[in-house]
Amino acid sequence: MSKQLQAIRGMNDILPEQTPVWQYLEHQVRAVLATYGYQEVRIPVVESSALFSRGIGSGTDIVEKEMYTFDDRNGDKLSLRPEATAGVVRTGIEHGMFYNQVQRLWTSGPMFRYERPQKGRYRQFHQISVEAYGMDGPDIDAELIMMTARFWQRLGLSEHVTLELNTLGTLESRSRYRSALVEYLSDYAAELDEDSRRRLTINPLRILDSKDPNTRKIVAGAPALADYLDDESREHFAQLRQILDDAGIAYQVNPTLVRGLDYYGKTVFEWVTQSLGAQGTVCAGGRYDTLVELLGGKPVAAVGFAMGIERLVLLLETLQLVPEHVSNRVDVAVVAVGDGVLHKALPLVERLRDSLPTLKILTNCGGGGLKAQLKRADRSGAAYALILGEDELAAGVVTIKPLRTGEAQQPLSLADVVKFLQAQ
Ligand code: ATP
Ligand code: MG
């Protein structure tokens, strides 16, 4: 026998019993986004590899080790998107969306990174990505962060996530800092972990968030980015903090928060939870004022963030914060017993749907005896079974049987069934 075909490692099926939580989460987030005037944009999953190496940075982990890149039949180098921002910027430039206007945009869907699969880290994962263009002040940074706080509030997560904040300064101040950092770290090069040693020349700022204990000790004595900040970034950060303070949004300034993508400058932030183990960042973002120009547009200020849907779903489930109504449970199960009864029952159920358009009604198709059908009705989670047999058809009634209470079943006309169900 041939080998059973299987999904690719790290790429998960999201099964019917899991999708209600996904839909709930996505629905809540979309509803909040709409109230802040964010508009959805849908962009391709595949782009030119050059977009990502130029946008995200060729020295980053993502581009260096994690991208799914291939030649198409034409010989063009393409990549599955590892994140959405570069694609959204490409879209905005291509369609003239940044010219003399601000944009508040969001997009969502699968992202692909060749990482070691583990809890909260997959090779195909999903993000909701939110981006604001054409606004350079700390006000929009603050509004974005307030909006994320509202997501958590809506989802009941507020007490389970904390906000970490930092500023990376402008490109110039960062490159002055970079030199100082490399000079300091070079003295300890032999003691650094292997990844950090490699990053010393390609992406030294990333060494700041190394998880290696020995590297961390060395990093503790390194020059601080804060001491190299330019006045403009310092002022931007101070104002952001002031707005957040006034709004009562708690945060922790984390001077080693640097983020894994080259395009960030000034504000960076992460929402972190202690409830998911090592993969604790559920939402991360910051400002990327240089990205549009880097990808060929006119300079346009930009700030945004991405949320990992798998991690948020995992968090809601772990903390048992999924509301009871979020399930595949149907309201009513239709049981039709006897020769030809279902043929008559189907149009009847359509009339029921006309009168009760939000009700979830599951009709037993494919036959079976009363007992077997009632068993299926019970498994569907329905509160009521509507039983139709030859007797009911002859009498012009439907038997309604409560499945979750001990109440007795009763025959009702279709009009009374509608009234009965409306009253529930
Ligand atoms: P991490 O430090 O956890 O690798 P990152 O800095 O690479 O995260 P971003 O590129 O900022 O992550 O993506 C934003 C969010 O997307 C993360 O905070 C996380 O919630 C989620 N995410 C990133 N990579 C993965 C992955 N491989 N699997 C599942 N979720 C992910
Ligand atoms: Mg990563």
Side-chain angles (χ1 to χ4, degrees):
M1 222 172 67
S2 62
K3 199 168 165 256
Q4 177 90 43
L5 292 171
Q6 284 186 331
I8 307 300
R9 196 164 113 85
M11 303 198 180
N12 299 312
D13 299 309
I14 298 145
L15 298 174
E17 63 256 33
Q18 300 168 294
T19 51
V21 187
W22 283 64
Q23 290 169 355
Y24 162 70
L25 172 66
E26 288 164 356
H27 175 79
Q28 296 296 331
V29 170
R30 283 176 192 177
V32 173
L33 283 165
T35 64
Y36 284 75
Y38 280 79
Q39 300 176 344
E40 184 182 11
V41 56
R42 299 189 184 197
I43 61 170
V45 170
V46 178
E47 300 267 4
S48 298
S49 305
L51 172 67
F52 302 115
S53 47
R54 236 207 285 173
I56 298 169
S58 49
T60 58
D61 280 359
I62 294 180
V63 171
E64 206 182 278
K65 311 191 288 202
E66 298 174 359
M67 273 213 303
Y68 282 89
T69 295
F70 59 97
D71 293 333
D72 76 357
R73 289 173 193 277
N74 219 5
D76 294 331
K77 212 165 241 356
L78 307 180
S79 296
L80 301 185
R81 62 179 183 194
E83 56 100 54
T85 301
V88 172
V89 168
R90 199 247 333 119
T91 303
I93 295 171
E94 199 167 321
H95 297 275
M97 291 163 66
F98 300 141
Y99 187 69
N100 265 350
Q101 55 192 320
V102 303
Q103 293 284 356
R104 284 177 163 88
L105 303 172
W106 69 270
T107 194
S108 71
M111 308 295 157
F112 303 85
R113 297 183 194 176
Y114 192 81
E115 303 199 69
R116 192 170 70 76
Q118 54 198 289
K119 183 181 164 198
R121 192 177 292 287
Y122 312 102
R123 290 180 175 173
Q124 174 174 332
F125 62 100
H126 298 75
Q127 288 182 337
I128 298 175
S129 184
V130 181
E131 340 229 317
Y133 295 93
M135 293 162 275
D136 60 7
D139 45 3
I140 183 68
D141 302 18
E143 191 196 58
L144 269 176
I145 290 172
M146 288 178 198
M147 186 170 73
T148 53
R150 191 172 291 275
F151 295 150
W152 317 139
Q153 193 188 32
R154 273 283 268 260
L155 295 165
L157 289 172
S158 300
E159 287 157 35
H160 305 281
V161 288
T162 53
L163 175 62
E164 297 191 5
L165 204 59
N166 194 21
T167 179
L168 300 179
T170 56
L171 214 54
E172 302 83 72
S173 59
R174 213 157 52 250
S175 70
R176 278 195 296 127
Y177 173 65
R178 187 187 150 118
S179 308
L181 182 67
V182 171
E183 195 183 313
Y184 167 83
L185 289 174
S186 296
D187 292 345
Y188 301 91
E191 297 164 55
L192 294 172
D193 64 280
E194 199 187 313
D195 262 348
S196 297
R197 207 156 43 237
R198 204 168 41 79
R199 285 177 175 143
L200 200 51
T201 46
I202 6 183
N203 200 352
L205 259 63
R206 273 295 275 202
I207 301 174
L208 295 182
D209 75 351
S210 164
K211 307 281 181 285
D212 180 80
N214 200 42
T215 300
R216 288 182 82 95
K217 262 187 235 152
I218 298 167
V219 161
L225 178 56
D227 296 332
Y228 288 77
L229 280 184
D230 51 292
D231 290 344
E232 186 194 326
S233 303
R234 216 187 288 274
E235 181 59 22
H236 187 103
F237 196 50
Q239 283 184 31
L240 171 61
R241 293 182 58 174
Q242 188 63 56
I243 303 172
L244 294 177
D245 289 341
D246 291 346
I249 300 214
Y251 56 85
Q252 188 92 48
V253 174
N254 175 357
T256 65
L257 183 65
V258 290
R259 314 280 306 109
L261 301 84
D262 274 359
Y263 53 60
Y264 287 108
K266 289 190 180 161
T267 311
V268 286
F269 67 91
E270 287 191 1
W271 285 96
V272 184
T273 178
Q274 301 303 317
S275 307
L276 290 182
Q279 269 59 249
T281 304
V282 292
C283 172
R287 186 161 272 285
Y288 36 96
D289 292 337
T290 53
L291 185 61
V292 178
E293 192 179 11
L294 189 70
L295 293 177
K298 296 239 160 57
V300 175
V303 56
F305 61 84
M307 302 191 269
I309 302 186
E310 280 83 355
R311 290 187 195 174
L312 285 166
V313 165
L314 210 56
L315 189 58
L316 289 172
E317 286 171 343
T318 306
L319 299 169
Q320 298 185 317
L321 289 171
V322 180
E324 227 248 311
H325 65 85
V326 176
S327 77
N328 286 318
R329 229 181 4 254
V330 303
D331 300 308
V332 171
V334 177
V335 168
V337 197
D339 270 354
V341 172
L342 183 60
H343 291 196
K344 301 244 166 54
L346 281 172
L348 218 97
V349 177
E350 288 308 306
R351 277 162 57 201
L352 205 59
R353 292 186 205 277
D354 292 338
S355 307
L356 299 163
T358 60
L359 219 62
K360 291 192 215 164
I361 309 174
L362 189 73
T363 302
N364 184 91
C365 291
L370 178 66
K371 211 169 146 198
Q373 289 199 41
L374 278 175
K375 208 165 171 182
R376 266 178 242 152
D378 187 50
R379 266 206 307 265
S380 73
Y384 298 98
L386 290 185
I387 306 170
L388 272 157
E390 276 151 16
D391 295 350
E392 278 88 357
L393 278 185
V397 296
V398 178
T399 297
I400 184 157
K401 178 180 169 64
L403 296 173
R404 309 292 148 199
T405 64
E407 286 166 274
Q409 60 184 49
Q410 51 175 326
L412 293 176
S413 70
L414 193 66
D416 285 341
V417 167
V418 170
K419 274 190 216 139
F420 179 92
L421 290 173
Q422 266 166 346
Q424 302 308 307

